[in-house]
Amino acid sequence: MSNTKGNNRIVILGGGESGAGAAILAQKQGFDVFLSDSSVIKPEYREMLEMHGIEWEAGGHTLEKILNADEVVKSPGIPDKAPVIQQIISHNIHIISEIEFAGRYTDALMICITGSNGKTTTTMLTYHILKEAGLDVGLAGNVGASLALQVAETPHRYYVIELSSFQLDNMFDFKADIAILLNITPDHLDRYHYDFQEYADAKMRIIQNQTSEDAFIFWNDDPTIRRGIEKFHPQARLYPFAETSIGGETETASEGGGLAGYVSNGRFIIELINNKYTMERELLSLKGTHNLYNSLAAGIAARVLDIHDDRIRASLSDFAGVEHRLEMVARVRGVDYINDSKATNVNSCWYALQSITTPLVLILGGSDKGNDYTEIENLAVKKARALIFLGIDNSKLHAFFDGKVANIEDARSMQEAVDKAYTIALKGDSVLLSPCCASFDLFNNYEDRGNQFKKCVRKL
């Protein structure tokens, strides 16, 4: 926990969950606070700001009120190329994330989770285990309530925090007591000068400031993570996990000299020094290889925190999953409709395609972030009866897939996409919405996209 570091004026950019929470914490800590949003601010956040007497503006930025800041707290969705950010940088004003800011005012134990895919499920599962074990725990970051707001008004002893690369970019002194890095695959390259290494380095920031007293949990078989470990030399205790324990040894050995989590002979195993936890893999509530990794990471974190085996077993067995991630919507005339709207990158779609065993009609498309569709090519060609491209501009998808899958359709609305899928799919097939892309061309966000899909399916 720290003081205000001598700063007097804090400017918050962005008036959503993150920004409103940061503003309230800043005011509580005695800062002169101003919040600015280039767009509209939702009524609930306007009310929060008004109730606390915090000055704010929406629909544009007043530079005179921003460039006199001692420090700026930036919402993660605002890119560095935004003109207001460029102005702030040119005035040498320090820019931080809400998580960095909130971390200054709490001594809570931080369990932080990042990765290109699976981080929301792992975050929710870890939170579920801790909460069911009776710990005083808050959920924050990309899910849950603002960390800053919780620190200000409802402080907890533990926080489970989902972190995007955008949040990590503006974190400097914050430390994760337990850091989980699930995987690193190309995503958001439009924010990283289309440089995968720059994006990978951002993900590796989750281990910065860790000491030998902390824990770093990671997927052992990810070559990008392995290179990152060689580059950044983590100081924390290492807890690698993988699907199988071949020989039980790893180049980046855990505290016990091998994998901390793996599967052997149908058993789910977490193995720390002098402690071995096992359960039948088939008892895990989350199915599929990708969810096995998520369960291993969450289970290792729970054991590091010394949560009892029976609590871990119960939570891994009854966790319900995350909305918009391989969510079964309905079976209509023998066809399963699956909502994977949260698959906003190619690797996430790959996991979905790998997990589905039936022929399928795949709906994909949206705002392309510099995608390379090669990763899903073989699975799509092998499994897809048809592809439906849902987006304003599908030219890149056509350029890649035309001639590889016999039936390709375009759709300009979710209703059109679902109607076409309904016509094409045969009994025993699955219709999968797994877009590979951001949603902002036709939808407000991936939740809006997924909800529209579910609404259209339920009307069939």
Side-chain angles (χ1 to χ4, degrees):
M1 187 178 293
S2 112
N3 58 27
T4 58
K5 297 195 172 186
N7 297 329
N8 296 310
R9 181 169 172 82
I10 290 280
V11 169
I12 316 290
L13 289 184
E17 177 73 24
S18 168
I24 289 168
L25 177 60
Q27 185 196 56
K28 181 175 181 178
Q29 294 299 326
F31 289 101
D32 172 24
V33 185
F34 177 64
L35 183 145
S36 179
D37 196 311
S38 64
S39 187
V40 297
I41 298 176
K42 290 181 179 179
E44 61 263 36
Y45 299 125
R46 291 202 307 267
E47 289 171 16
M48 288 169 61
L49 297 170
E50 293 287 353
M51 185 174 67
H52 287 81
I54 294 169
E55 184 184 2
W56 60 273
E57 67 177 354
H61 297 302
T62 304
L63 287 178
E64 307 86 69
K65 292 187 175 185
I66 294 172
L67 298 179
N68 62 353
D70 293 291
E71 197 165 40
V72 168
V73 179
K74 177 179 81 70
S75 292
I78 304 173
D80 286 346
K81 65 183 179 183
V84 66
I85 300 299
Q86 289 298 307
Q87 286 274 0
I88 292 166
I89 292 171
S90 71
H91 282 73
N92 295 315
I93 301 169
H94 194 222
I95 301 173
I96 60 172
S97 71
E98 174 234 347
I99 305 294
E100 173 81 4
F101 182 63
R104 295 174 180 173
Y105 305 103
T106 175
D107 290 323
L109 192 143
M110 303 291 189
I111 303 101
C112 300
I113 296 150
T114 196
S116 302
N117 296 298
K119 56 184 177 291
T120 299
T121 299
T122 305
T123 299
M124 297 298 291
L125 177 56
T126 304
Y127 173 73
H128 176 66
I129 296 172
L130 270 59
K131 192 166 181 62
E132 290 301 303
L135 299 186
D136 174 21
V137 59
L139 178 68
N142 281 356
V143 291
S146 156
L147 177 63
L149 185 63
Q150 292 181 71
V151 169
E153 299 189 338
T154 55
H156 298 283
R157 179 67 193 93
Y158 299 83
Y159 289 101
V160 180
I161 307 172
E162 178 187 332
L163 292 175
S164 69
S165 58
F166 303 157
Q167 289 161 317
L168 288 162
D169 284 335
N170 293 106
M171 292 168 63
F172 306 96
D173 298 323
F174 181 96
K175 178 175 75 71
D177 298 280
I178 298 176
I180 298 176
L181 179 52
L182 296 165
N183 46 62
I184 306 176
T185 57
D187 194 13
H188 303 297
L189 295 189
D190 53 330
R191 285 275 291 260
Y192 293 95
H193 309 98
Y194 296 94
D195 182 342
F196 176 59
Q197 189 59 55
E198 186 179 333
Y199 168 70
D201 288 352
K203 285 294 190 187
M204 291 301 301
R205 288 174 69 90
I206 196 164
I207 65 171
Q208 67 183 353
N209 305 314
Q210 283 197 302
T211 72
S212 59
E213 299 299 308
D214 302 314
F216 177 37
I217 300 166
F218 61 93
W219 182 30
N220 191 64
D221 295 339
D222 188 317
T224 306
I225 294 177
R226 300 291 287 269
R227 288 193 297 270
I229 288 172
E230 292 172 4
K231 180 177 181 178
F232 293 105
H233 307 291
Q235 299 302 302
R237 291 167 291 160
L238 303 181
Y239 296 92
F241 62 87
E243 184 174 4
T244 57
S245 177
I246 307 299
E249 293 298 322
T250 64
E251 292 175 23
T252 49
S254 71
E255 58 171 22
L259 291 171
Y262 56 94
V263 171
S264 178
N265 298 319
R267 297 197 69 80
F268 174 94
I269 299 169
I270 296 171
E271 193 166 10
L272 278 57
I273 285 180
N274 300 323
N275 185 285
K276 187 172 183 178
Y277 165 81
T278 71
M279 67 183 285
E280 294 293 329
R281 178 178 178 176
E282 65 182 24
L283 295 179
L284 295 173
S285 64
L286 297 177
K287 306 305 180 185
T289 302
H290 60 296
N291 278 323
L292 170 65
Y293 298 148
N294 300 336
S295 298
L296 285 167
I300 294 168
R303 285 306 303 131
V304 169
L305 291 170
D306 206 27
I307 291 175
H308 291 162
D309 290 356
D310 59 339
R311 296 287 191 177
I312 298 174
R313 181 174 290 104
S315 296
L316 290 176
S317 301
D318 66 12
F319 180 64
V322 175
E323 189 180 14
H324 307 298
R325 190 71 182 102
L326 287 170
E327 177 189 10
M328 177 66 178
V329 179
R331 178 171 290 170
V332 182
R333 291 177 61 187
V335 176
D336 288 343
Y337 288 79
I338 301 168
N339 169 28
D340 196 41
S341 182
K342 202 172 189 304
T344 59
N345 60 54
V346 177
N347 187 248
S348 193
C349 178
W350 180 87
Y351 279 116
L353 292 174
Q354 186 194 45
S355 71
I356 294 173
T357 57
T358 67
L360 54 85
V361 176
L362 174 61
I363 303 171
L364 70 166
S367 297
D368 188 292
K369 299 177 287 184
N371 289 345
D372 178 359
Y373 297 102
T374 306
E375 186 177 358
I376 62 167
E377 179 180 2
N378 289 339
L379 284 171
V381 170
K382 178 182 175 182
K383 295 189 174 187
R385 186 181 306 283
L387 302 178
I388 298 174
F389 298 155
L390 174 61
I392 291 174
D393 180 4
N394 298 323
S395 57
K396 187 173 177 181
L397 286 164
H398 277 291
F400 187 87
F401 285 107
D402 282 359
K404 297 173 183 175
V405 176
N407 192 349
I408 294 179
E409 302 278 347
D410 287 278
R412 293 293 182 268
S413 70
M414 186 60 75
Q415 187 67 59
E416 184 182 3
V418 170
D419 287 346
K420 287 187 173 182
Y422 177 78
T423 301
I424 296 167
L426 304 178
K427 186 175 181 180
D429 286 358
S430 298
V431 172
L432 172 67
L433 170 68
S434 192
C436 293
C437 300
S439 55
F440 305 120
D441 59 340
L442 291 173
F443 308 96
N444 295 329
N445 46 47
Y446 77 80
E447 293 99 331
D448 176 38
R449 178 170 61 192
N451 288 332
Q452 287 196 35
F453 177 73
K454 291 193 285 186
K455 183 177 179 180
C456 291
V457 168
R458 287 167 181 157
K459 289 192 299 183
L460 292 174

